[in-house]
Amino acid sequence: MIGIYLSGTGNSKHCIEKLISLLDENAKSFALTLNDEETIVNEIKNSDTVFLAYPTQFSNAPYMVREFIKRNKDIWKDKKVFCMTTMGLFSGDGTGCAARLLKKYKANIIGGLMLKMPDAVCDSKLLKKSVEENRVIIEVADKRIEDIAKDIKEKNKYPKEGLSFFAHLAGLFGQRLWFYGKTNKYSNKLKINPDKCVGCGACAGSCPMNNLKLVEGHIVTFDKCTMCYKCITNCPKQAITCIGKEVVEQCKYEKYVK
Ligand SMILES: Cc1cc2nc3c(=O)[nH]c(=O)nc-3n(C[C@H](O)[C@H](O)[C@H](O)COP(=O)(O)O)c2cc1C
C-alpha cells in the first residue's frame, strides 16, 4: 500500500498519512511533483493498492492530478485505488472526478472519502475561519479517519463517498458546471506583488509544477499553476495571490494543531 498526494496547505497530506499509517505502519507516502514523477510511477507500479489524496477545487480534482492520471494511463490497470479528497465546505463528487478517470484506465476503485478540513483559500475574506474553528474541524476529520480505518481493518468495509451517480449530479450542478473554466486547464492567475516580494525563492522551491522561477532576483511564473496554494502558503512576505487580491491570513495545517 502506498499513498500519493497533492497538498498545498498540508490538509490532504495529513489525512492520507494518518489513514494509511493506521492501516499499515510501514506504508509510505509520496507528494506528487513533476520532478519526482518517475519515482512515483515506479512506486505505483510496484504496489497493489494506492491511496490517492488531493484537495477539491471547484468540485473537481486539481488539473495536475487529472493530468498525472492521464499521462500515466497504463499503470492503473487492475490497481486497487482508494480516492480521498479534502475540502473546505462542499465537494459533491470530489473523489468521483478522479475515480471515473481511473476506472476508464481499468483501475479497481475500492472506496472514496471526502473530509472537511480548513479552507486553503487564504486570499479571500469570505472563507476565513478562526484558528479555534479550524482546530475543531481537524479534530472531527481525525476522528472520522480513525473510525474509517477501524472499519477497513476489522470489517474490510470501505466508504464510498463521492462515487455515486447522485454525488456526480451534486458536484456537477452544485459547482463544476459553473466553474469548469477554472479547472479545465492550468491557471495563469498567480500574481506576485513586486512591492512585497524579496526574491527569496521559497515559492519556487515549493511549487510541484515548477511554475515559478527565480531569475536575477525576481520571481517569474509560467502560467502552469495547478492552484494548490503551496507557494502562497509558504511565502514569508505574503506576496502571492491567486483567486483573491490580498492574503488575509495564510492557511497551513501545522498552524492548527497543538
Ligand atoms: C483553487 C481552490 C478551489 C477550491 N475549491 C473548493 C471547493 O469547490 N469546495 C470546497 O469545499 N473546498 C474548496 N477548496 C478548499 C480546499 O479543497 C481545502 O482547503 C483542502 O483541504 C486543501 O487541501 P490541501 O491543504 O491538501 O491542499 C478550494 C481550494 C482552492 C485553493
Side-chain angles (χ1 to χ4, degrees), residues 7-214:
S7 187
T9 64
N11 293 342
S12 308
K13 176 180 191 291
H14 164 71
C15 293
I16 195 169
E17 285 182 344
K18 185 170 173 78
L19 180 60
I20 63 171
S21 68
L22 288 170
L23 297 174
D24 172 0
E25 59 185 24
N26 298 317
K28 288 189 286 181
S29 63
F30 301 86
L32 196 56
T33 66
L34 280 190
N35 288 347
D36 292 333
E37 185 155 321
E38 207 182 315
T39 313
I40 292 169
V41 165
N42 283 330
E43 290 287 344
I44 293 174
K45 281 182 184 164
N46 294 328
S47 308
D48 65 343
T49 309
V50 179
F51 280 65
L52 174 68
Y54 50 82
T56 293
Q57 291 182 350
F58 303 101
S59 285
N60 207 342
Y63 195 66
M64 182 191 182
V65 173
R66 282 149 46 215
E67 286 296 287
F68 171 77
I69 295 170
K70 285 185 204 167
R71 215 171 26 247
N72 299 290
K73 56 178 179 289
D74 298 335
I75 63 177
W76 304 108
K77 190 171 179 305
D78 298 331
K79 200 70 68 186
K80 284 186 248 169
V81 185
F82 184 89
C83 294
M84 280 174 77
T85 190
T86 62
M87 59 194 177
L89 190 65
F90 168 79
S91 160
D93 60 342
T95 49
C97 293
R100 285 191 296 277
L101 202 52
L102 287 158
K103 258 193 209 164
K104 189 173 145 189
Y105 302 130
K106 309 271 186 292
N108 171 14
I109 305 300
I110 55 174
L113 177 59
M114 306 198 292
L115 291 161
K116 193 172 169 206
M117 287 291 277
D119 206 300
V121 180
C122 62
D123 48 0
S124 158
K125 278 201 181 104
L126 207 70
L127 301 163
K128 177 94 190 71
K129 287 200 182 71
S130 70
V131 170
E132 201 41 56
E133 283 171 307
N134 281 331
R135 201 164 273 162
V136 173
I137 289 172
I138 292 175
E139 279 168 14
V140 173
D142 278 349
K143 176 76 177 63
R144 283 198 68 210
I145 294 172
E146 284 159 21
D147 291 345
I148 282 157
K150 203 160 172 261
D151 270 357
I152 296 176
K153 270 183 114 162
E154 292 176 5
K155 303 180 197 155
N156 198 27
K157 188 178 155 208
Y158 289 82
K160 308 277 182 208
E161 294 172 11
L163 304 178
S164 71
F165 175 66
F166 293 106
H168 190 166
L169 292 183
L172 191 64
F173 292 106
Q175 278 210 90
R176 209 162 45 255
L177 215 56
W178 329 114
F179 293 111
Y180 185 61
K182 296 198 186 288
T183 53
N184 67 352
K185 56 180 189 292
Y186 288 114
S187 169
N188 59 0
K189 298 279 188 283
L190 208 60
K191 299 170 281 288
I192 318 283
N193 183 334
D195 298 331
K196 289 186 177 177
C197 176
V198 290
C200 70
C203 53
S206 70
C207 177
M209 283 297 305
N210 298 332
N211 181 48
L212 298 133
K213 202 171 178 187
L214 191 57

